[in-house]
Amino acid sequence: YDGSTWKNFAYSGQGMQPWSIFGFSADDFWVGGQDGQIYRYLNGQFGMFGNYRLPGYPLTDFIKFWGNNPNDIYVVGDAHKTANETNYAIIMHYDGKDWSYVINPEIKGEFLNIKRGINDSPNYYLIYLSENIDSTSIYEYDGKYLKSIYNQPDLDFNIVGMFVVNN
């Protein structure tokens, strides 16, 4: 998108199914989707930055990015474990050099969104969808620890949409 029109973007490499895009400028942005791959567009070049599938989790989905600056970005989603056919929520962080998992797959379900708190809050807030798709929760992440701070037993799309209002 150049500010007025959308254009097709051709790149070399295999096809991808993008689910999320995030950046701080038109010359530097990230794209994530299925298959554990994160792509980057940087100064006119677009390609796969890395493949971040975990052993035993053949499907990894990157659903939403959020960043404070180009060297401090998070992405959330899920990793699918073949052994028990279950999705597990994940969080990755980019430190200016590479992406690394900060929350490994332990919580059944998926993170759908991440945003930093307001008024210079150091905490991040995540929307979580349970594996059974019958409840949503809000998690708080302080950069080290993750804790559930709100749980809605029945699926409530108002929670899912909450983060879109001030996007």
Side-chain angles (χ1 to χ4, degrees), residues 24-37:
F24 290 95
S25 76
D27 293 325
D28 186 5
F29 60 84
W30 298 92
V31 179
Q34 286 186 319
D35 299 328
Q37 298 168 348

Side-chain angles (χ1 to χ4, degrees), residues 1-156:
Y1 183 73
D2 65 8
S4 61
T5 359
W6 286 96
K7 298 176 185 172
N8 286 330
F9 185 78
Y11 67 95
S12 59
Q14 67 184 36
M16 65 176 291
Q17 184 177 23
W19 288 10
S20 185
I21 185 169
F22 183 86
F24 290 95
S25 76
D27 293 325
D28 186 5
F29 60 84
W30 298 92
V31 179
Q34 286 186 319
D35 299 328
Q37 298 168 348
I38 294 178
Y39 290 77
R40 186 177 193 183
Y41 178 84
L42 182 60
N43 300 322
Q45 301 294 315
F46 185 77
M48 186 170 46
F49 188 83
N51 190 324
Y52 299 95
R53 281 188 220 151
L54 294 168
Y57 298 83
L59 298 175
T60 302
D61 302 324
F62 298 117
I63 297 171
K64 187 70 174 186
F65 290 94
W66 176 258
N68 298 301
N69 63 61
N71 296 319
D72 183 16
I73 304 171
Y74 288 91
V75 67
V76 298
D78 65 83
H80 181 82
K81 190 169 194 169
T82 305
N84 62 2
E85 296 297 321
T86 301
N87 289 332
Y88 292 87
I90 57 168
I91 303 175
M92 290 189 74
H93 180 254
Y94 178 72
D95 63 4
K97 295 179 183 170
D98 202 1
W99 289 93
S100 60
Y101 282 91
V102 294
I103 297 296
N104 288 319
E106 297 172 359
I107 303 168
K108 290 182 180 180
E110 62 187 317
F111 288 125
L112 301 177
N113 206 340
I114 182 170
K115 287 236 178 159
R116 188 171 174 188
I118 60 172
N119 300 327
D120 297 325
S121 168
N123 296 330
Y124 297 85
Y125 297 90
L126 298 92
I127 299 295
Y128 164 81
L129 183 63
S130 77
E131 175 64 12
N132 297 326
I133 310 179
D134 62 357
S135 69
T136 54
S137 300
I138 298 175
Y139 277 78
E140 182 179 66
Y141 177 65
D142 66 4
K144 191 173 183 181
Y145 299 104
L146 181 70
K147 69 178 178 179
S148 177
I149 60 171
Y150 176 82
N151 185 36
Q152 175 68 34
D154 297 316
L155 184 60
D156 183 349

